[in-house]
Amino acid sequence: QVQLVESGGGSVQPGGSLRLSCEASGFNLDDHALAWFRQAPGEEREGVAVISRPDGALYYATAVQGRFTISKDVAKRALYLQMDNLKPEDTAVYYCAAANLLVGGSYLLDVPKVYDYWGQGTQVTVSS
């Protein structure tokens, strides 16, 4: 049974940091592109960061470039998102996702429908 479970969300002041984790089970992480998406109230779900496959290239949304870092630990079956210098506009529910595909690329930030598996989401609130 495939499962993705996010953790690490919370409330933080502007300029602060959070590290999100996503525990994966039921599939091979190396066979999938892995990503973080977020969705703010009244907004569409948007891609934040992706580990593409087969080359493992990293792609980031312009809004988070230089502040967020995506990584994975295959041995721990986990995906991470380190978020630094957080801003109020980063407030959203954050989701991890996995896609079993052969051709990767930056398009993975823009097409949520190609993802096969999703977590339940974790809330991140940035406010003073």
Side-chain angles (χ1 to χ4, degrees):
Q1 179 180 359
V2 173
Q3 197 169 17
L4 294 171
V5 180
E6 301 97 337
S7 61
S11 296
V12 64
Q13 292 187 340
S17 297
L18 284 174
R19 188 192 193 209
L20 304 183
S21 298
C22 174
E23 294 185 15
S25 60
F27 67 97
N28 188 340
L29 269 67
D30 283 337
D31 291 340
H32 290 70
L34 303 171
W36 288 96
F37 282 75
R38 67 185 181 186
Q39 188 166 19
E43 303 288 333
E44 292 187 355
R45 191 167 296 191
E46 65 172 352
V48 174
V50 169
I51 302 177
S52 186
R53 74 171 305 271
D55 60 358
L58 306 181
Y59 299 98
Y60 295 93
T62 301
V64 307
Q65 184 79 41
R67 301 188 297 121
F68 290 11
T69 303
I70 188 172
S71 63
K72 68 178 181 180
D73 187 326
V74 176
K76 294 183 177 179
R77 302 190 58 79
L79 177 70
Y80 304 103
L81 185 68
Q82 177 66 41
M83 305 186 295
D84 298 316
N85 190 21
L86 282 160
K87 303 176 180 181
E89 52 263 43
D90 295 319
T91 296
V93 177
Y94 284 70
Y95 301 89
C96 61
N100 185 0
L101 44 73
L102 298 178
V103 179
S106 60
Y107 77 94
L108 290 169
L109 281 169
D110 303 318
V111 190
K113 66 180 181 181
V114 304
Y115 290 85
D116 303 292
Y117 312 120
W118 291 87
Q120 82 291 347
T122 185
Q123 176 70 46
V124 171
T125 302
V126 185
S127 174
S128 56

mmCIF file with all atom_site columns, all heavy atoms in Angstrom, residues 29-56:
data_model
loop_
_atom_site.group_PDB
_atom_site.id
_atom_site.type_symbol
_atom_site.label_atom_id
_atom_site.label_alt_id
_atom_site.label_comp_id
_atom_site.label_asym_id
_atom_site.label_entity_id
_atom_site.label_seq_id
_atom_site.pdbx_PDB_ins_code
_atom_site.Cartn_x
_atom_site.Cartn_y
_atom_site.Cartn_z
_atom_site.occupancy
_atom_site.B_iso_or_equiv
_atom_site.pdbx_formal_charge
_atom_site.auth_seq_id
_atom_site.auth_comp_id
_atom_site.auth_asym_id
_atom_site.auth_atom_id
_atom_site.pdbx_PDB_model_num
ATOM 1   N N   . LEU A 1 29 ? 11.481 4.781  -4.178  1.00 0.00 ? 29 LEU A N   1
ATOM 2   C CA  . LEU A 1 29 ? 11.727 6.212  -4.361  1.00 0.00 ? 29 LEU A CA  1
ATOM 3   C C   . LEU A 1 29 ? 12.583 6.488  -5.590  1.00 0.00 ? 29 LEU A C   1
ATOM 4   O O   . LEU A 1 29 ? 12.384 7.503  -6.264  1.00 0.00 ? 29 LEU A O   1
ATOM 5   C CB  . LEU A 1 29 ? 12.422 6.792  -3.115  1.00 0.00 ? 29 LEU A CB  1
ATOM 6   C CG  . LEU A 1 29 ? 11.510 7.341  -2.021  1.00 0.00 ? 29 LEU A CG  1
ATOM 7   C CD1 . LEU A 1 29 ? 10.719 6.226  -1.367  1.00 0.00 ? 29 LEU A CD1 1
ATOM 8   C CD2 . LEU A 1 29 ? 12.315 8.120  -0.999  1.00 0.00 ? 29 LEU A CD2 1
ATOM 9   N N   . ASP A 1 30 ? 13.508 5.611  -5.903  1.00 0.00 ? 30 ASP A N   1
ATOM 10  C CA  . ASP A 1 30 ? 14.415 5.851  -7.023  1.00 0.00 ? 30 ASP A CA  1
ATOM 11  C C   . ASP A 1 30 ? 13.686 5.757  -8.371  1.00 0.00 ? 30 ASP A C   1
ATOM 12  O O   . ASP A 1 30 ? 14.207 6.224  -9.382  1.00 0.00 ? 30 ASP A O   1
ATOM 13  C CB  . ASP A 1 30 ? 15.573 4.854  -6.995  1.00 0.00 ? 30 ASP A CB  1
ATOM 14  C CG  . ASP A 1 30 ? 16.610 5.228  -5.954  1.00 0.00 ? 30 ASP A CG  1
ATOM 15  O OD1 . ASP A 1 30 ? 16.658 6.424  -5.585  1.00 0.00 ? 30 ASP A OD1 1
ATOM 16  O OD2 . ASP A 1 30 ? 17.365 4.343  -5.515  1.00 0.00 ? 30 ASP A OD2 1
ATOM 17  N N   . ASP A 1 31 ? 12.507 5.165  -8.422  1.00 0.00 ? 31 ASP A N   1
ATOM 18  C CA  . ASP A 1 31 ? 11.751 5.033  -9.668  1.00 0.00 ? 31 ASP A CA  1
ATOM 19  C C   . ASP A 1 31 ? 10.786 6.184  -9.886  1.00 0.00 ? 31 ASP A C   1
ATOM 20  O O   . ASP A 1 31 ? 10.039 6.180  -10.867 1.00 0.00 ? 31 ASP A O   1
ATOM 21  C CB  . ASP A 1 31 ? 10.958 3.720  -9.665  1.00 0.00 ? 31 ASP A CB  1
ATOM 22  C CG  . ASP A 1 31 ? 11.862 2.505  -9.750  1.00 0.00 ? 31 ASP A CG  1
ATOM 23  O OD1 . ASP A 1 31 ? 13.013 2.671  -10.191 1.00 0.00 ? 31 ASP A OD1 1
ATOM 24  O OD2 . ASP A 1 31 ? 11.408 1.411  -9.369  1.00 0.00 ? 31 ASP A OD2 1
ATOM 25  N N   . HIS A 1 32 ? 10.796 7.136  -8.959  1.00 0.00 ? 32 HIS A N   1
ATOM 26  C CA  . HIS A 1 32 ? 9.790  8.190  -9.012  1.00 0.00 ? 32 HIS A CA  1
ATOM 27  C C   . HIS A 1 32 ? 10.417 9.576  -8.937  1.00 0.00 ? 32 HIS A C   1
ATOM 28  O O   . HIS A 1 32 ? 11.417 9.776  -8.251  1.00 0.00 ? 32 HIS A O   1
ATOM 29  C CB  . HIS A 1 32 ? 8.819  8.042  -7.836  1.00 0.00 ? 32 HIS A CB  1
ATOM 30  C CG  . HIS A 1 32 ? 7.916  6.863  -7.946  1.00 0.00 ? 32 HIS A CG  1
ATOM 31  N ND1 . HIS A 1 32 ? 8.368  5.565  -7.819  1.00 0.00 ? 32 HIS A ND1 1
ATOM 32  C CD2 . HIS A 1 32 ? 6.588  6.779  -8.193  1.00 0.00 ? 32 HIS A CD2 1
ATOM 33  C CE1 . HIS A 1 32 ? 7.366  4.735  -7.978  1.00 0.00 ? 32 HIS A CE1 1
ATOM 34  N NE2 . HIS A 1 32 ? 6.270  5.444  -8.211  1.00 0.00 ? 32 HIS A NE2 1
ATOM 35  N N   . ALA A 1 33 ? 9.806  10.507 -9.642  1.00 0.00 ? 33 ALA A N   1
ATOM 36  C CA  . ALA A 1 33 ? 10.078 11.911 -9.383  1.00 0.00 ? 33 ALA A CA  1
ATOM 37  C C   . ALA A 1 33 ? 9.380  12.274 -8.075  1.00 0.00 ? 33 ALA A C   1
ATOM 38  O O   . ALA A 1 33 ? 8.252  11.820 -7.821  1.00 0.00 ? 33 ALA A O   1
ATOM 39  C CB  . ALA A 1 33 ? 9.569  12.780 -10.519 1.00 0.00 ? 33 ALA A CB  1
ATOM 40  N N   . LEU A 1 34 ? 10.020 13.109 -7.280  1.00 0.00 ? 34 LEU A N   1
ATOM 41  C CA  . LEU A 1 34 ? 9.483  13.476 -5.967  1.00 0.00 ? 34 LEU A CA  1
ATOM 42  C C   . LEU A 1 34 ? 9.367  14.998 -5.883  1.00 0.00 ? 34 LEU A C   1
ATOM 43  O O   . LEU A 1 34 ? 10.263 15.709 -6.357  1.00 0.00 ? 34 LEU A O   1
ATOM 44  C CB  . LEU A 1 34 ? 10.404 12.963 -4.861  1.00 0.00 ? 34 LEU A CB  1
ATOM 45  C CG  . LEU A 1 34 ? 10.667 11.465 -4.859  1.00 0.00 ? 34 LEU A CG  1
ATOM 46  C CD1 . LEU A 1 34 ? 11.764 11.109 -3.860  1.00 0.00 ? 34 LEU A CD1 1
ATOM 47  C CD2 . LEU A 1 34 ? 9.398  10.699 -4.558  1.00 0.00 ? 34 LEU A CD2 1
ATOM 48  N N   . ALA A 1 35 ? 8.303  15.456 -5.271  1.00 0.00 ? 35 ALA A N   1
ATOM 49  C CA  . ALA A 1 35 ? 8.056  16.894 -5.301  1.00 0.00 ? 35 ALA A CA  1
ATOM 50  C C   . ALA A 1 35 ? 7.343  17.378 -4.049  1.00 0.00 ? 35 ALA A C   1
ATOM 51  O O   . ALA A 1 35 ? 6.719  16.599 -3.314  1.00 0.00 ? 35 ALA A O   1
ATOM 52  C CB  . ALA A 1 35 ? 7.200  17.239 -6.512  1.00 0.00 ? 35 ALA A CB  1
ATOM 53  N N   . TRP A 1 36 ? 7.454  18.669 -3.835  1.00 0.00 ? 36 TRP A N   1
ATOM 54  C CA  . TRP A 1 36 ? 6.657  19.392 -2.849  1.00 0.00 ? 36 TRP A CA  1
ATOM 55  C C   . TRP A 1 36 ? 5.777  20.403 -3.594  1.00 0.00 ? 36 TRP A C   1
ATOM 56  O O   . TRP A 1 36 ? 6.264  21.145 -4.445  1.00 0.00 ? 36 TRP A O   1
ATOM 57  C CB  . TRP A 1 36 ? 7.532  20.116 -1.845  1.00 0.00 ? 36 TRP A CB  1
ATOM 58  C CG  . TRP A 1 36 ? 8.223  19.215 -0.882  1.00 0.00 ? 36 TRP A CG  1
ATOM 59  C CD1 . TRP A 1 36 ? 9.492  18.728 -0.983  1.00 0.00 ? 36 TRP A CD1 1
ATOM 60  C CD2 . TRP A 1 36 ? 7.686  18.687 0.331   1.00 0.00 ? 36 TRP A CD2 1
ATOM 61  N NE1 . TRP A 1 36 ? 9.777  17.918 0.088   1.00 0.00 ? 36 TRP A NE1 1
ATOM 62  C CE2 . TRP A 1 36 ? 8.676  17.875 0.923   1.00 0.00 ? 36 TRP A CE2 1
ATOM 63  C CE3 . TRP A 1 36 ? 6.453  18.811 0.990   1.00 0.00 ? 36 TRP A CE3 1
ATOM 64  C CZ2 . TRP A 1 36 ? 8.485  17.207 2.136   1.00 0.00 ? 36 TRP A CZ2 1
ATOM 65  C CZ3 . TRP A 1 36 ? 6.261  18.148 2.182   1.00 0.00 ? 36 TRP A CZ3 1
ATOM 66  C CH2 . TRP A 1 36 ? 7.267  17.354 2.745   1.00 0.00 ? 36 TRP A CH2 1
ATOM 67  N N   . PHE A 1 37 ? 4.517  20.403 -3.271  1.00 0.00 ? 37 PHE A N   1
ATOM 68  C CA  . PHE A 1 37 ? 3.561  21.383 -3.754  1.00 0.00 ? 37 PHE A CA  1
ATOM 69  C C   . PHE A 1 37 ? 3.002  22.125 -2.542  1.00 0.00 ? 37 PHE A C   1
ATOM 70  O O   . PHE A 1 37 ? 3.132  21.674 -1.406  1.00 0.00 ? 37 PHE A O   1
ATOM 71  C CB  . PHE A 1 37 ? 2.424  20.707 -4.515  1.00 0.00 ? 37 PHE A CB  1
ATOM 72  C CG  . PHE A 1 37 ? 2.777  20.298 -5.915  1.00 0.00 ? 37 PHE A CG  1
ATOM 73  C CD1 . PHE A 1 37 ? 3.577  19.180 -6.142  1.00 0.00 ? 37 PHE A CD1 1
ATOM 74  C CD2 . PHE A 1 37 ? 2.322  21.008 -7.001  1.00 0.00 ? 37 PHE A CD2 1
ATOM 75  C CE1 . PHE A 1 37 ? 3.910  18.795 -7.425  1.00 0.00 ? 37 PHE A CE1 1
ATOM 76  C CE2 . PHE A 1 37 ? 2.651  20.638 -8.296  1.00 0.00 ? 37 PHE A CE2 1
ATOM 77  C CZ  . PHE A 1 37 ? 3.448  19.528 -8.504  1.00 0.00 ? 37 PHE A CZ  1
ATOM 78  N N   . ARG A 1 38 ? 2.354  23.248 -2.803  1.00 0.00 ? 38 ARG A N   1
ATOM 79  C CA  . ARG A 1 38 ? 1.671  23.948 -1.729  1.00 0.00 ? 38 ARG A CA  1
ATOM 80  C C   . ARG A 1 38 ? 0.388  24.567 -2.270  1.00 0.00 ? 38 ARG A C   1
ATOM 81  O O   . ARG A 1 38 ? 0.262  24.808 -3.466  1.00 0.00 ? 38 ARG A O   1
ATOM 82  C CB  . ARG A 1 38 ? 2.569  25.026 -1.117  1.00 0.00 ? 38 ARG A CB  1
ATOM 83  C CG  . ARG A 1 38 ? 2.899  26.199 -2.034  1.00 0.00 ? 38 ARG A CG  1
ATOM 84  C CD  . ARG A 1 38 ? 3.901  27.122 -1.349  1.00 0.00 ? 38 ARG A CD  1
ATOM 85  N NE  . ARG A 1 38 ? 4.230  28.273 -2.181  1.00 0.00 ? 38 ARG A NE  1
ATOM 86  C CZ  . ARG A 1 38 ? 5.163  29.169 -1.874  1.00 0.00 ? 38 ARG A CZ  1
ATOM 87  N NH1 . ARG A 1 38 ? 5.868  29.044 -0.750  1.00 0.00 ? 38 ARG A NH1 1
ATOM 88  N NH2 . ARG A 1 38 ? 5.397  30.193 -2.683  1.00 0.00 ? 38 ARG A NH2 1
ATOM 89  N N   . GLN A 1 39 ? -0.531 24.797 -1.351  1.00 0.00 ? 39 GLN A N   1
ATOM 90  C CA  . GLN A 1 39 ? -1.802 25.394 -1.735  1.00 0.00 ? 39 GLN A CA  1
ATOM 91  C C   . GLN A 1 39 ? -2.258 26.325 -0.628  1.00 0.00 ? 39 GLN A C   1
ATOM 92  O O   . GLN A 1 39 ? -2.476 25.889 0.511   1.00 0.00 ? 39 GLN A O   1
ATOM 93  C CB  . GLN A 1 39 ? -2.859 24.317 -2.005  1.00 0.00 ? 39 GLN A CB  1
ATOM 94  C CG  . GLN A 1 39 ? -4.141 24.862 -2.585  1.00 0.00 ? 39 GLN A CG  1
ATOM 95  C CD  . GLN A 1 39 ? -5.021 23.762 -3.157  1.00 0.00 ? 39 GLN A CD  1
ATOM 96  O OE1 . GLN A 1 39 ? -4.874 22.582 -2.831  1.00 0.00 ? 39 GLN A OE1 1
ATOM 97  N NE2 . GLN A 1 39 ? -5.935 24.135 -4.040  1.00 0.00 ? 39 GLN A NE2 1
ATOM 98  N N   . ALA A 1 40 ? -2.392 27.594 -0.984  1.00 0.00 ? 40 ALA A N   1
ATOM 99  C CA  . ALA A 1 40 ? -2.898 28.595 -0.060  1.00 0.00 ? 40 ALA A CA  1
ATOM 100 C C   . ALA A 1 40 ? -4.415 28.713 -0.229  1.00 0.00 ? 40 ALA A C   1
ATOM 101 O O   . ALA A 1 40 ? -4.945 28.356 -1.289  1.00 0.00 ? 40 ALA A O   1
ATOM 102 C CB  . ALA A 1 40 ? -2.225 29.933 -0.323  1.00 0.00 ? 40 ALA A CB  1
ATOM 103 N N   . PRO A 1 41 ? -5.128 29.218 0.770   1.00 0.00 ? 41 PRO A N   1
ATOM 104 C CA  . PRO A 1 41 ? -6.585 29.350 0.659   1.00 0.00 ? 41 PRO A CA  1
ATOM 105 C C   . PRO A 1 41 ? -6.980 30.170 -0.564  1.00 0.00 ? 41 PRO A C   1
ATOM 106 O O   . PRO A 1 41 ? -6.435 31.243 -0.806  1.00 0.00 ? 41 PRO A O   1
ATOM 107 C CB  . PRO A 1 41 ? -6.966 30.070 1.958   1.00 0.00 ? 41 PRO A CB  1
ATOM 108 C CG  . PRO A 1 41 ? -5.893 29.702 2.918   1.00 0.00 ? 41 PRO A CG  1
ATOM 109 C CD  . PRO A 1 41 ? -4.638 29.619 2.089   1.00 0.00 ? 41 PRO A CD  1
ATOM 110 N N   . GLY A 1 42 ? -7.907 29.622 -1.354  1.00 0.00 ? 42 GLY A N   1
ATOM 111 C CA  . GLY A 1 42 ? -8.385 30.320 -2.524  1.00 0.00 ? 42 GLY A CA  1
ATOM 112 C C   . GLY A 1 42 ? -7.462 30.304 -3.718  1.00 0.00 ? 42 GLY A C   1
ATOM 113 O O   . GLY A 1 42 ? -7.750 30.923 -4.743  1.00 0.00 ? 42 GLY A O   1
ATOM 114 N N   . GLU A 1 43 ? -6.342 29.586 -3.587  1.00 0.00 ? 43 GLU A N   1
ATOM 115 C CA  . GLU A 1 43 ? -5.371 29.530 -4.665  1.00 0.00 ? 43 GLU A CA  1
ATOM 116 C C   . GLU A 1 43 ? -5.270 28.109 -5.225  1.00 0.00 ? 43 GLU A C   1
ATOM 117 O O   . GLU A 1 43 ? -5.667 27.143 -4.572  1.00 0.00 ? 43 GLU A O   1
ATOM 118 C CB  . GLU A 1 43 ? -3.989 29.974 -4.168  1.00 0.00 ? 43 GLU A CB  1
ATOM 119 C CG  . GLU A 1 43 ? -3.951 31.362 -3.568  1.00 0.00 ? 43 GLU A CG  1
ATOM 120 C CD  . GLU A 1 43 ? -4.096 32.435 -4.619  1.00 0.00 ? 43 GLU A CD  1
ATOM 121 O OE1 . GLU A 1 43 ? -3.729 32.185 -5.783  1.00 0.00 ? 43 GLU A OE1 1
ATOM 122 O OE2 . GLU A 1 43 ? -4.578 33.543 -4.272  1.00 0.00 ? 43 GLU A OE2 1
ATOM 123 N N   . GLU A 1 44 ? -4.709 28.000 -6.433  1.00 0.00 ? 44 GLU A N   1
ATOM 124 C CA  . GLU A 1 44 ? -4.457 26.686 -7.005  1.00 0.00 ? 44 GLU A CA  1
ATOM 125 C C   . GLU A 1 44 ? -3.192 26.082 -6.386  1.00 0.00 ? 44 GLU A C   1
ATOM 126 O O   . GLU A 1 44 ? -2.327 26.797 -5.881  1.00 0.00 ? 44 GLU A O   1
ATOM 127 C CB  . GLU A 1 44 ? -4.279 26.803 -8.521  1.00 0.00 ? 44 GLU A CB  1
ATOM 128 C CG  . GLU A 1 44 ? -5.542 27.199 -9.252  1.00 0.00 ? 44 GLU A CG  1
ATOM 129 C CD  . GLU A 1 44 ? -5.378 27.144 -10.758 1.00 0.00 ? 44 GLU A CD  1
ATOM 130 O OE1 . GLU A 1 44 ? -4.253 26.894 -11.231 1.00 0.00 ? 44 GLU A OE1 1
ATOM 131 O OE2 . GLU A 1 44 ? -6.377 27.344 -11.466 1.00 0.00 ? 44 GLU A OE2 1
ATOM 132 N N   . ARG A 1 45 ? -3.139 24.764 -6.456  1.00 0.00 ? 45 ARG A N   1
ATOM 133 C CA  . ARG A 1 45 ? -1.943 24.081 -5.975  1.00 0.00 ? 45 ARG A CA  1
ATOM 134 C C   . ARG A 1 45 ? -0.766 24.422 -6.888  1.00 0.00 ? 45 ARG A C   1
ATOM 135 O O   . ARG A 1 45 ? -0.893 24.384 -8.118  1.00 0.00 ? 45 ARG A O   1
ATOM 136 C CB  . ARG A 1 45 ? -2.178 22.573 -5.950  1.00 0.00 ? 45 ARG A CB  1
ATOM 137 C CG  . ARG A 1 45 ? -1.117 21.784 -5.220  1.00 0.00 ? 45 ARG A CG  1
ATOM 138 C CD  . ARG A 1 45 ? -1.572 20.356 -4.975  1.00 0.00 ? 45 ARG A CD  1
ATOM 139 N NE  . ARG A 1 45 ? -2.742 20.314 -4.093  1.00 0.00 ? 45 ARG A NE  1
ATOM 140 C CZ  . ARG A 1 45 ? -3.207 19.181 -3.550  1.00 0.00 ? 45 ARG A CZ  1
ATOM 141 N NH1 . ARG A 1 45 ? -2.592 18.030 -3.805  1.00 0.00 ? 45 ARG A NH1 1
ATOM 142 N NH2 . ARG A 1 45 ? -4.270 19.210 -2.792  1.00 0.00 ? 45 ARG A NH2 1
ATOM 143 N N   . GLU A 1 46 ? 0.372  24.753 -6.297  1.00 0.00 ? 46 GLU A N   1
ATOM 144 C CA  . GLU A 1 46 ? 1.535  25.144 -7.091  1.00 0.00 ? 46 GLU A CA  1
ATOM 145 C C   . GLU A 1 46 ? 2.758  24.334 -6.699  1.00 0.00 ? 46 GLU A C   1
ATOM 146 O O   . GLU A 1 46 ? 2.941  23.984 -5.525  1.00 0.00 ? 46 GLU A O   1
ATOM 147 C CB  . GLU A 1 46 ? 1.830  26.640 -6.923  1.00 0.00 ? 46 GLU A CB  1
ATOM 148 C CG  . GLU A 1 46 ? 2.233  27.059 -5.534  1.00 0.00 ? 46 GLU A CG  1
ATOM 149 C CD  . GLU A 1 46 ? 2.690  28.507 -5.464  1.00 0.00 ? 46 GLU A CD  1
ATOM 150 O OE1 . GLU A 1 46 ? 2.840  29.156 -6.512  1.00 0.00 ? 46 GLU A OE1 1
ATOM 151 O OE2 . GLU A 1 46 ? 2.924  28.990 -4.340  1.00 0.00 ? 46 GLU A OE2 1
ATOM 152 N N   . GLY A 1 47 ? 3.583  24.045 -7.685  1.00 0.00 ? 47 GLY A N   1
ATOM 153 C CA  . GLY A 1 47 ? 4.812  23.323 -7.426  1.00 0.00 ? 47 GLY A CA  1
ATOM 154 C C   . GLY A 1 47 ? 5.833  24.200 -6.733  1.00 0.00 ? 47 GLY A C   1
ATOM 155 O O   . GLY A 1 47 ? 5.994  25.360 -7.096  1.00 0.00 ? 47 GLY A O   1
ATOM 156 N N   . VAL A 1 48 ? 6.527  23.629 -5.772  1.00 0.00 ? 48 VAL A N   1
ATOM 157 C CA  . VAL A 1 48 ? 7.549  24.347 -5.007  1.00 0.00 ? 48 VAL A CA  1
ATOM 158 C C   . VAL A 1 48 ? 8.941  23.856 -5.376  1.00 0.00 ? 48 VAL A C   1
ATOM 159 O O   . VAL A 1 48 ? 9.830  24.655 -5.669  1.00 0.00 ? 48 VAL A O   1
ATOM 160 C CB  . VAL A 1 48 ? 7.311  24.159 -3.497  1.00 0.00 ? 48 VAL A CB  1
ATOM 161 C CG1 . VAL A 1 48 ? 8.441  24.781 -2.691  1.00 0.00 ? 48 VAL A CG1 1
ATOM 162 C CG2 . VAL A 1 48 ? 5.963  24.747 -3.088  1.00 0.00 ? 48 VAL A CG2 1
ATOM 163 N N   . ALA A 1 49 ? 9.132  22.540 -5.359  1.00 0.00 ? 49 ALA A N   1
ATOM 164 C CA  . ALA A 1 49 ? 10.446 21.968 -5.638  1.00 0.00 ? 49 ALA A CA  1
ATOM 165 C C   . ALA A 1 49 ? 10.284 20.528 -6.088  1.00 0.00 ? 49 ALA A C   1
ATOM 166 O O   . ALA A 1 49 ? 9.358  19.840 -5.645  1.00 0.00 ? 49 ALA A O   1
ATOM 167 C CB  . ALA A 1 49 ? 11.337 22.024 -4.395  1.00 0.00 ? 49 ALA A CB  1
ATOM 168 N N   . VAL A 1 50 ? 11.188 20.090 -6.961  1.00 0.00 ? 50 VAL A N   1
ATOM 169 C CA  . VAL A 1 50 ? 11.108 18.759 -7.551  1.00 0.00 ? 50 VAL A CA  1
ATOM 170 C C   . VAL A 1 50 ? 12.491 18.119 -7.606  1.00 0.00 ? 50 VAL A C   1
ATOM 171 O O   . VAL A 1 50 ? 13.480 18.808 -7.903  1.00 0.00 ? 50 VAL A O   1
ATOM 172 C CB  . VAL A 1 50 ? 10.532 18.827 -8.984  1.00 0.00 ? 50 VAL A CB  1
ATOM 173 C CG1 . VAL A 1 50 ? 10.692 17.497 -9.701  1.00 0.00 ? 50 VAL A CG1 1
ATOM 174 C CG2 . VAL A 1 50 ? 9.074  19.249 -8.962  1.00 0.00 ? 50 VAL A CG2 1
ATOM 175 N N   . ILE A 1 51 ? 12.531 16.825 -7.312  1.00 0.00 ? 51 ILE A N   1
ATOM 176 C CA  . ILE A 1 51 ? 13.683 16.002 -7.665  1.00 0.00 ? 51 ILE A CA  1
ATOM 177 C C   . ILE A 1 51 ? 13.251 15.166 -8.858  1.00 0.00 ? 51 ILE A C   1
ATOM 178 O O   . ILE A 1 51 ? 12.419 14.269 -8.737  1.00 0.00 ? 51 ILE A O   1
ATOM 179 C CB  . ILE A 1 51 ? 14.122 15.080 -6.505  1.00 0.00 ? 51 ILE A CB  1
ATOM 180 C CG1 . ILE A 1 51 ? 14.471 15.897 -5.265  1.00 0.00 ? 51 ILE A CG1 1
ATOM 181 C CG2 . ILE A 1 51 ? 15.318 14.236 -6.934  1.00 0.00 ? 51 ILE A CG2 1
ATOM 182 C CD1 . ILE A 1 51 ? 14.840 15.054 -4.045  1.00 0.00 ? 51 ILE A CD1 1
ATOM 183 N N   . SER A 1 52 ? 13.809 15.475 -10.019 1.00 0.00 ? 52 SER A N   1
ATOM 184 C CA  . SER A 1 52 ? 13.372 14.837 -11.245 1.00 0.00 ? 52 SER A CA  1
ATOM 185 C C   . SER A 1 52 ? 14.045 13.464 -11.389 1.00 0.00 ? 52 SER A C   1
ATOM 186 O O   . SER A 1 52 ? 14.905 13.083 -10.619 1.00 0.00 ? 52 SER A O   1
ATOM 187 C CB  . SER A 1 52 ? 13.735 15.730 -12.425 1.00 0.00 ? 52 SER A CB  1
ATOM 188 O OG  . SER A 1 52 ? 13.211 15.212 -13.632 1.00 0.00 ? 52 SER A OG  1
ATOM 189 N N   . ARG A 1 53 ? 13.620 12.739 -12.363 1.00 0.00 ? 53 ARG A N   1
ATOM 190 C CA  . ARG A 1 53 ? 14.276 11.484 -12.695 1.00 0.00 ? 53 ARG A CA  1
ATOM 191 C C   . ARG A 1 53 ? 14.323 11.364 -14.196 1.00 0.00 ? 53 ARG A C   1
ATOM 192 O O   . ARG A 1 53 ? 13.487 11.970 -14.884 1.00 0.00 ? 53 ARG A O   1
ATOM 193 C CB  . ARG A 1 53 ? 13.571 10.294 -12.051 1.00 0.00 ? 53 ARG A CB  1
ATOM 194 C CG  . ARG A 1 53 ? 12.281 9.891  -12.664 1.00 0.00 ? 53 ARG A CG  1
ATOM 195 C CD  . ARG A 1 53 ? 11.800 8.564  -12.065 1.00 0.00 ? 53 ARG A CD  1
ATOM 196 N NE  . ARG A 1 53 ? 12.765 7.496  -12.158 1.00 0.00 ? 53 ARG A NE  1
ATOM 197 C CZ  . ARG A 1 53 ? 12.869 6.654  -13.186 1.00 0.00 ? 53 ARG A CZ  1
ATOM 198 N NH1 . ARG A 1 53 ? 12.065 6.809  -14.227 1.00 0.00 ? 53 ARG A NH1 1
ATOM 199 N NH2 . ARG A 1 53 ? 13.758 5.691  -13.184 1.00 0.00 ? 53 ARG A NH2 1
ATOM 200 N N   . PRO A 1 54 ? 15.276 10.605 -14.781 1.00 0.00 ? 54 PRO A N   1
ATOM 201 C CA  . PRO A 1 54 ? 16.187 9.730  -14.061 1.00 0.00 ? 54 PRO A CA  1
ATOM 202 C C   . PRO A 1 54 ? 17.461 10.390 -13.555 1.00 0.00 ? 54 PRO A C   1
ATOM 203 O O   . PRO A 1 54 ? 18.244 9.741  -12.853 1.00 0.00 ? 54 PRO A O   1
ATOM 204 C CB  . PRO A 1 54 ? 16.540 8.695  -15.128 1.00 0.00 ? 54 PRO A CB  1
ATOM 205 C CG  . PRO A 1 54 ? 16.500 9.466  -16.401 1.00 0.00 ? 54 PRO A CG  1
ATOM 206 C CD  . PRO A 1 54 ? 15.360 10.440 -16.236 1.00 0.00 ? 54 PRO A CD  1
ATOM 207 N N   . ASP A 1 55 ? 17.660 11.668 -13.866 1.00 0.00 ? 55 ASP A N   1
ATOM 208 C CA  . ASP A 1 55 ? 18.949 12.271 -13.551 1.00 0.00 ? 55 ASP A CA  1
ATOM 209 C C   . ASP A 1 55 ? 19.020 12.915 -12.165 1.00 0.00 ? 55 ASP A C   1
ATOM 210 O O   . ASP A 1 55 ? 20.094 13.352 -11.754 1.00 0.00 ? 55 ASP A O   1
ATOM 211 C CB  . ASP A 1 55 ? 19.312 13.308 -14.609 1.00 0.00 ? 55 ASP A CB  1
ATOM 212 C CG  . ASP A 1 55 ? 18.281 14.420 -14.699 1.00 0.00 ? 55 ASP A CG  1
ATOM 213 O OD1 . ASP A 1 55 ? 17.271 14.369 -13.963 1.00 0.00 ? 55 ASP A OD1 1
ATOM 214 O OD2 . ASP A 1 55 ? 18.484 15.339 -15.510 1.00 0.00 ? 55 ASP A OD2 1
ATOM 215 N N   . GLY A 1 56 ? 17.895 13.008 -11.457 1.00 0.00 ? 56 GLY A N   1
ATOM 216 C CA  . GLY A 1 56 ? 17.915 13.619 -10.135 1.00 0.00 ? 56 GLY A CA  1
ATOM 217 C C   . GLY A 1 56 ? 18.071 15.119 -10.143 1.00 0.00 ? 56 GLY A C   1
ATOM 218 O O   . GLY A 1 56 ? 18.400 15.724 -9.113  1.00 0.00 ? 56 GLY A O   1
#
